[in-house]
Amino acid sequence: MRSFSESYREAGVDITAGYEGVKLMSAHVKRTMIPGVVSDIGGFGGLFAPDLSGMREPVLVSGTDGVGTKQRIAQLLDKHDTVGIDCVAMCVNDIICCGAKPIFFLDYIAIGKNVPEKVATLVSGVAEGCVQAGCALIGGETAEHPGTMAPEDYDLAGFAVGIVDKPKVIDHSATRPGDIILALPSSGIHSNGYSLVRKVFDVEHTDLNVYSGELGQTLGEALLTPTKIYVKPVLACMAAANIRGISHITGGGFYENLPRCLPAGLTARIEKASIRTQPIFHLLQRMGDISDHDMFNTYNMGVGMAVIVAKSDADKALSAFHAAGCSAYIIGEIVPGAERVVLC
């Protein structure tokens, strides 16, 4: 007998739509399969057998996050194939800061009404993010929430697990005065500060499809640009140089995130003029009349990740990043001081 509940459907939950969604997303999930995947989607748990060869003390590193209110832009534009990349990026970019290679990912979608094609499109973005990060999408959950969410609304979150040999964990303790700070360019606003973005641009009452000469694209395209995933460039740099610290510049901007990879008594001195800031930030600051401090305390301002290396390793690190397709550049150095971050 097939699984079906007329009573449950009358209450707002169509379980057959869930089955159809799983069928539609299967092709996307298959793109992410890497060695180590033991199970297929649809079971009660995702199974993964990590390759521990060459590791003396394997350590698992986990991270979880969501897309936040950026997904409202996707809903307004009815474009749902990229926010999944954001979801993966926000998790894997955190765990790579420890030097951990992501190995698998799980997603969770809460949605007002389960439209299988829409859910499959959301998962296609998650799968693309996993491909970019080199990890497998081994499971997830879609939950229909009638009466608590509007039919077109959804919330997307995820969970990543990575692995690193304990002697190779980047713990920031080796950071010294004179070390160089490298910027890994962002793709734009990424996935933070969108409550302020939505207020400044009044997105509920603005045509997001109008082309902007200043941006070189529509406002909607600029706001929906997916978060850059830094896993592969950072792994390439780790193989070529000694990374002493990594900071993922997310919510809280420079002032909150750079101190997270600094030992006490050290300051990150950033040359503001060296930062390559995209037009979307200038437009946002001007239209919102936002101070420099608040911009750098909320947004990445063009720097998605900051990497600290010894001065003697700077050229090797830059070469490794460039060879991996990441146009890293120098934005500052580590100096003694009590103030954690100085922009000059």
Side-chain angles (χ1 to χ4, degrees), residues 13-222:
V13 177
D14 184 357
I15 59 176
T16 59
Y19 303 147
E20 179 65 18
V22 170
K23 186 165 70 174
L24 292 174
M25 69 179 69
S26 293
H28 302 300
V29 174
K30 286 179 181 176
R31 293 182 57 218
T32 75
M33 294 299 99
I34 60 175
V37 176
V38 176
S39 60
D40 199 356
I41 61 170
F44 288 103
L47 307 181
F48 193 92
D51 180 6
L52 305 181
S53 58
M55 292 192 181
R56 296 185 311 193
E57 298 180 78
V59 176
L60 295 178
V61 181
S62 59
T64 185
D65 210 336
V67 183
T69 62
K70 182 176 184 175
Q71 58 203 359
R72 180 59 183 159
I73 309 297
Q75 291 162 8
L76 289 168
L77 292 170
D78 194 24
K79 188 178 188 309
H80 311 288
D81 60 340
T82 61
V83 287
I85 300 174
D86 292 293
C87 186
V88 175
M90 297 306 290
C91 298
V92 299
N93 283 348
D94 276 354
I95 65 177
I96 194 63
C97 289
C98 301
K101 181 184 186 302
I103 52 177
F104 63 80
F105 190 86
L106 292 91
D107 63 9
Y108 177 85
I109 302 169
I111 193 164
K113 180 175 176 56
N114 189 343
V115 179
E117 294 79 9
K118 185 175 183 178
V119 171
T121 300
L122 285 166
V123 173
S124 74
V126 176
E128 173 59 27
C130 287
V131 168
Q132 292 183 24
C135 64
L137 177 57
I138 64 170
E141 175 72 11
T142 301
E144 199 167 11
H145 288 180
T148 63
M149 302 177 74
E152 70 277 6
D153 285 350
Y154 58 81
D155 190 29
L156 176 61
F159 175 86
V161 171
I163 192 166
V164 60
D165 200 8
K166 191 173 182 180
K168 296 182 179 180
V169 170
I170 300 170
D171 65 0
H172 317 132
S173 61
T175 303
R176 298 288 183 270
D179 287 351
I180 300 299
I181 305 172
L182 307 179
L184 307 191
S186 71
S187 56
I189 296 177
H190 283 183
S191 301
N192 302 104
Y194 270 81
S195 293
L196 180 55
V197 164
R198 291 184 300 112
K199 176 185 176 183
V200 169
F201 291 124
D202 191 18
V203 298
E204 301 292 334
H205 306 99
T206 297
D207 186 351
L208 298 176
N209 291 305
V210 173
Y211 180 83
S212 165
E214 180 176 354
L215 299 177
Q217 58 188 328
T218 69
L219 177 60
E221 288 171 335

Side-chain angles (χ1 to χ4, degrees), residues 158-324:
F159 175 86
V161 171
I163 192 166
V164 60
D165 200 8
K166 191 173 182 180
K168 296 182 179 180
V169 170
I170 300 170
D171 65 0
H172 317 132
S173 61
T175 303
R176 298 288 183 270
D179 287 351
I180 300 299
I181 305 172
L182 307 179
L184 307 191
S186 71
S187 56
I189 296 177
H190 283 183
S191 301
N192 302 104
Y194 270 81
S195 293
L196 180 55
V197 164
R198 291 184 300 112
K199 176 185 176 183
V200 169
F201 291 124
D202 191 18
V203 298
E204 301 292 334
H205 306 99
T206 297
D207 186 351
L208 298 176
N209 291 305
V210 173
Y211 180 83
S212 165
E214 180 176 354
L215 299 177
Q217 58 188 328
T218 69
L219 177 60
E221 288 171 335
L223 297 182
L224 209 52
T225 300
T227 304
K228 192 170 182 64
I229 292 175
Y230 299 101
V231 170
K232 292 178 180 178
V234 169
L235 290 174
C237 184
M238 286 177 63
N242 179 24
I243 294 179
R244 291 182 167 178
I246 306 180
S247 177
H248 184 198
I249 310 299
T250 56
F254 284 63
Y255 289 105
E256 286 190 20
N257 291 292
L258 280 171
R260 297 166 69 178
C261 71
L262 291 177
L266 295 181
T267 296
R269 187 171 68 192
I270 306 295
E271 297 291 337
K272 193 188 298 187
S274 69
I275 297 175
R276 302 168 188 172
T277 301
Q278 294 97 331
I280 186 62
F281 294 105
H282 299 307
L283 179 62
L284 175 64
Q285 182 172 16
R286 187 176 71 249
M287 289 190 64
D289 191 23
I290 305 170
S291 68
D292 272 5
H293 177 274
D294 285 0
M295 290 295 293
F296 280 91
N297 209 156
T298 308
Y299 299 105
N300 68 65
M301 298 303 286
V303 180
M305 193 164 277
V307 176
I308 300 171
V309 297
K311 190 172 185 178
S312 59
D313 264 0
D315 288 341
K316 287 189 290 185
L318 286 168
S319 295
F321 279 125
H322 295 166

